[in-house]
Amino acid sequence: MIIPDYLYQYVYLLIITFLTVICMKNKRVSGDYESPVSSILLVVFLILFIGFRPTHSYYFGDTINYANWWGLIPYEGFDFNAENLLFDNLYRYMAEMWYDVTEFFILIAIIYFVFIWLACRKFFPHHTMLAFLVYLAAFSTFAYGTNGIKAGAAASIFLLALAYRDTLYMSIPLVLLSWGFHHSMHLVIGAYVLTFFFKNKKWYFYGWLFCLMMAIGHITFFQNLFAGFTNDNGAGYLTSSSDTAWGGKSGFRIDFVIYSAMPVLMGYYVKYKYELEDKLYDILLYIYLTTNGIWMLCMYAEFTNRIAYLSWFMYPILLIYPCFAIKEYQHPLVMNRNKYIMYHLGFTLFMTFIYY
């Protein structure tokens, strides 16, 4: 083992920090022209770095579970009753074909990082490297590349589906593919479909504020209501609030609320103060407001971080998109975008090295 398991995330963040600083100073990368070579090399490095992580370490959450279960469930053909139709069948098939679980983790890392990179390339064709680094620096990116890998892979696929929202013959298959990787994506897909029919930004913001008030008031009516519509596993997440069951914190998460509010405040500013007209940004913002609001309705559930991730996977894109979509060079968001990127990175470093 070249890097001890307990240092993996720290090394990851130090590399991202170094590359972010270099990228912001490199005019070829942060200016109008950018070759994809540097960001592709970073993708390859991340695939190898994350894919070859220690497989039997508790520092990587669910990784050890997938390693311990490897080959224990026989593959008897495609199971159409699997909870996660594509992911579960892929896992069992590969366990039948390969002795070592590392090949599976490499494949998931390929899906995770390549789809994120493709989405960044589509969203920010002239600033792919910087946008990709911002995404990698997000608070939950490392975790969902090593721990909640089903949700991470599904979210990265869905992110690319959003990037191709104007090309439905590509977007729809990607949406279905993300659903096949993790069934929880039905919430995000529902929010996506909603944006095609309901475009009143005022009510999206009002809805988010209503959900925040429900969370502050510790009103769990909606949490229990949602539990009645999901399967046994989902109901278990929503009806339990034991801190000891998963080793994390439940209850009203003021830290999560403050973190989640940043794209909302950004969205309010660019939509109401600056009056930015951008259909892609509107779709991303409305999906975020919907899914993040639903998380707040379920904030007192046990695995609240996993529900929050259904909105957080769009967080870094929403945070920086206006900084590049606004065409006025003298606009404060454009002039200070490097500062916002460093604040974003600094928050993750603080949470990782100090808070936790």
Side-chain angles (χ1 to χ4, degrees), residues 114-132:
V114 169
F115 276 80
I116 292 172
W117 179 84
L118 288 171
C120 288
R121 187 69 180 169
K122 184 70 174 176
F123 287 137
F124 308 96
H126 300 292
H127 306 89
T128 306
M129 182 65 167
L130 186 56
F132 188 48

Side-chain angles (χ1 to χ4, degrees), residues 222-346:
F222 294 98
Q223 181 175 312
N224 296 326
L225 179 66
F226 297 149
F229 290 102
T230 187
N231 58 22
D232 291 340
N233 288 337
Y237 285 172
L238 292 171
T239 56
S240 175
S241 60
S242 170
D243 288 349
T244 59
W246 63 289
K249 301 176 183 178
S250 59
F252 184 76
R253 296 300 305 270
I254 184 63
D255 50 347
F256 281 14
V257 171
I258 294 173
Y259 181 71
S260 296
M262 294 302 104
V264 180
L265 294 174
M266 174 74 81
Y268 179 82
Y269 174 78
V270 299
K271 294 304 296 180
Y272 283 96
K273 301 297 183 181
Y274 181 74
E275 297 183 347
L276 175 68
E277 295 295 330
D278 190 296
K279 291 182 179 180
L280 171 58
Y281 181 73
D282 289 351
I283 291 173
L284 290 167
L285 179 62
Y286 298 162
I287 294 174
Y288 181 87
L289 289 169
T290 302
T291 53
N292 192 255
I294 291 175
W295 159 69
M296 288 193 291
L297 293 178
C298 304
M299 191 184 298
Y300 295 89
E302 182 176 303
F303 286 87
T304 183
N305 61 320
R306 298 197 174 187
I307 303 172
Y309 184 69
L310 296 176
S311 57
W312 284 355
F313 77 91
M314 293 178 287
Y315 188 106
I317 302 297
L318 278 168
L319 201 63
I320 63 168
Y321 188 89
C323 298
F324 294 101
I326 294 173
K327 303 305 180 183
E328 300 174 16
Y329 180 75
Q330 297 299 322
H331 191 279
L333 286 182
V334 178
M335 295 179 64
N336 296 306
R337 64 189 179 197
N338 284 354
K339 290 183 180 180
Y340 302 137
I341 291 171
M342 291 307 298
Y343 292 152
H344 167 72
L345 174 61

Side-chain angles (χ1 to χ4, degrees), residues 50-270:
I50 298 298
F52 282 101
R53 67 188 179 277
T55 59
H56 289 80
S57 171
Y58 288 101
Y59 283 96
F60 303 113
D62 286 344
T63 291
I64 193 171
N65 294 329
Y66 291 117
N68 290 337
W69 298 334
W70 189 249
L72 296 182
I73 305 175
Y75 181 75
E76 299 175 347
F78 195 90
D79 181 9
F80 287 93
N81 296 315
E83 183 178 27
N84 304 290
L85 194 63
L86 297 179
F87 182 93
D88 294 351
N89 279 284
L90 176 65
Y91 176 78
R92 295 170 190 173
Y93 174 75
M94 291 190 67
E96 190 79 11
M97 299 296 295
W98 280 278
Y99 174 77
D100 192 349
V101 70
T102 299
E103 283 81 1
F104 173 73
F105 289 136
I106 291 173
L107 176 60
I108 297 301
I110 290 172
I111 294 171
Y112 187 57
F113 290 112
V114 169
F115 276 80
I116 292 172
W117 179 84
L118 288 171
C120 288
R121 187 69 180 169
K122 184 70 174 176
F123 287 137
F124 308 96
H126 300 292
H127 306 89
T128 306
M129 182 65 167
L130 186 56
F132 188 48
L133 286 167
V134 170
Y135 199 99
L136 296 175
F139 180 55
S140 54
T141 300
F142 178 85
Y144 282 86
T146 58
N147 184 4
I149 60 175
K150 280 185 294 191
S156 66
I157 296 169
F158 188 84
L159 198 66
L160 186 60
L162 291 177
Y164 282 97
R165 79 279 175 203
D166 290 332
T167 312
L168 290 182
Y169 69 85
M170 293 188 65
S171 184
I172 292 175
L174 288 168
V175 165
L176 296 176
L177 182 63
S178 72
W179 197 358
F181 263 75
H182 202 292
H183 62 278
S184 68
M185 294 303 294
H186 68 267
L187 171 61
V188 189
I189 294 169
Y192 183 28
V193 173
L194 181 65
T195 65
F196 285 93
F197 302 99
F198 188 73
K199 304 179 185 295
N200 190 324
K201 63 178 181 291
K202 176 176 66 176
W203 289 105
Y204 281 105
F205 282 102
Y206 282 160
W208 188 86
L209 287 173
F210 169 80
C211 295
L212 176 58
M213 293 301 103
M214 293 298 100
I216 293 173
H218 199 162
I219 297 173
T220 59
F221 168 79
F222 294 98
Q223 181 175 312
N224 296 326
L225 179 66
F226 297 149
F229 290 102
T230 187
N231 58 22
D232 291 340
N233 288 337
Y237 285 172
L238 292 171
T239 56
S240 175
S241 60
S242 170
D243 288 349
T244 59
W246 63 289
K249 301 176 183 178
S250 59
F252 184 76
R253 296 300 305 270
I254 184 63
D255 50 347
F256 281 14
V257 171
I258 294 173
Y259 181 71
S260 296
M262 294 302 104
V264 180
L265 294 174
M266 174 74 81
Y268 179 82
Y269 174 78
V270 299

